[in-house]
Amino acid sequence: MWISRSILARSLLHHRHYSQSAAAAVAVAHSFEEAPVTYLEDLPRPDPKYAETILAIPRARSGKNISAKERKQGRVPAILFEQEDGQHGGNKRLISVRTNQIRKLVNHLGRSFFLSRLFDLEVAPEFGGDEVIEKIRVLPRLVHLHSGTDAPLNVTFIRAPSNALLKVDVPLVYRGEDVCPGLRKGSSLNTIRRTVKYLCPADIIPPYIDVDLSELDIGQKLTMGDLKVHPALKLLKSKDEPVCKIMGARVSDQQRRK
């Protein structure tokens, strides 16, 4: 889902009472209309290695049979949401993208990382031609994969202009296991969350968030509020929700018999 900052602020302020997360969305909408935001030096940013333009062609019709024909021709049926309130369906464009390109990106990045990265989407009348109808920056919203082969079956994209705020499930990358005090004592890591949802300005969507385990001892945990992210990102869950915990040390069978 993406929400224009000005539209978001106006719609939420029409309500006399709103949730804390809605109030935070209004605040970020106002603050980032005033000044552009950029990635910070000490936080992850997208790897330019995967800065690829996804190629697409228009698709006139939808339906099970049409989708099956597209896949047989090496294409993935896709949808591009265009309007500001695209999460409710609304205005959408039917397109098709190349199966091999989507499969490569998902395989190289990983599914969760593919869904947290912006891409340029180039729409042309046909694949291989020189004419370009439109070039759009998009965020992949959903990708469905075949359960047996992991082949992409369909993809949903949403426009991501600079003035958009987008809800993104950002992947977590756990680091520091080798020096974690609790793990060195023989305990185990309970990974509770693999992603965390944030409201992100489109220009600074993090490709992932580092989770530092290097100082955790047995029984200690990290919560969503402990994660180090850009101050422009707004957490859409409680900051007290845990993301991981160092469990108690393992007990051997011999120790149990004692």
Side-chain angles (χ1 to χ4, degrees):
M1 178 181 69
W2 84 265
I3 313 169
S4 166
R5 296 167 192 172
S6 57
I7 294 293
L8 174 68
R10 289 199 302 270
S11 62
L12 290 177
L13 287 172
H14 283 162
H15 298 279
R16 186 174 181 180
H17 302 287
Y18 45 80
S19 67
Q20 184 176 0
S21 62
V26 171
V28 74
H30 283 304
S31 62
F32 295 108
E33 280 180 337
E34 297 174 359
V37 290
T38 58
Y39 287 101
L40 300 180
E41 289 298 327
D42 58 340
L43 293 176
R45 62 178 63 202
D47 187 342
K49 175 182 178 181
Y50 298 105
E52 187 165 337
T53 297
I54 295 177
L55 305 178
I57 58 173
R59 180 164 52 96
R61 293 180 294 168
S62 61
K64 187 175 180 180
N65 292 336
I66 297 295
S67 295
K69 290 180 180 178
E70 289 293 295
R71 296 184 189 110
K72 285 183 179 179
Q73 296 181 50
R75 301 194 290 258
V76 180
I79 294 174
L80 170 62
F81 283 113
E82 293 192 283
Q83 71 175 45
E84 292 170 348
D85 200 17
Q87 72 274 15
H88 293 136
N91 188 15
K92 64 183 181 182
R93 290 175 61 183
L94 301 177
I95 58 174
S96 292
V97 292
R98 283 175 164 166
T99 300
N100 289 342
Q101 185 177 31
I102 301 302
R103 184 199 292 266
K104 180 191 71 174
L105 288 169
V106 173
N107 287 345
H108 286 182
L109 291 167
R111 185 178 181 276
S112 296
F113 297 86
F114 173 72
L115 296 175
S116 64
R117 185 185 177 98
L118 296 177
F119 293 93
D120 285 330
L121 179 74
E122 193 172 272
V123 183
E126 59 183 2
F127 289 124
D130 295 329
E131 183 182 352
V132 175
I133 299 173
E134 189 177 11
K135 192 168 185 177
I136 317 153
R137 190 174 68 165
V138 299
L139 176 73
R141 170 58 61 209
L142 295 169
V143 58
H144 292 131
L145 305 177
H146 189 281
S147 58
T149 65
D150 281 340
L153 299 177
N154 52 66
V155 189
T156 299
F157 299 98
I158 195 159
R159 284 181 180 269
S162 291
N163 68 335
L165 294 172
L166 301 101
K167 290 182 179 179
V168 184
D169 287 306
V170 183
L172 303 181
V173 174
Y174 290 87
R175 304 187 189 278
E177 294 97 327
D178 56 333
V179 296
C180 174
L183 297 181
R184 289 174 67 88
K185 293 174 183 176
S187 60
S188 60
L189 173 64
N190 179 16
T191 303
I192 300 169
R193 298 298 296 259
R194 292 289 182 183
T195 64
V196 175
K197 189 182 291 292
Y198 286 89
L199 186 67
C200 307
D203 288 342
I204 56 165
I205 295 174
Y208 58 88
I209 296 170
D210 281 320
V211 182
D212 184 8
L213 306 174
S214 62
E215 297 183 2
L216 289 187
D217 212 333
I218 296 173
Q220 294 183 328
K221 66 182 179 181
L222 291 175
T223 67
M224 294 186 183
D226 295 322
L227 300 176
K228 185 179 180 181
V229 299
H230 195 293
L233 272 59
K234 296 299 177 182
L235 181 64
L236 297 178
K237 298 284 187 178
S238 168
K239 66 178 182 179
D240 297 322
E241 287 194 29
V243 296
C244 67
K245 182 176 181 179
I246 304 298
M247 306 301 290
R250 299 185 184 92
V251 180
S252 68
D253 291 338
Q254 185 177 2
Q255 288 174 317
R256 290 193 188 96
R257 286 194 290 271
K258 291 180 179 180

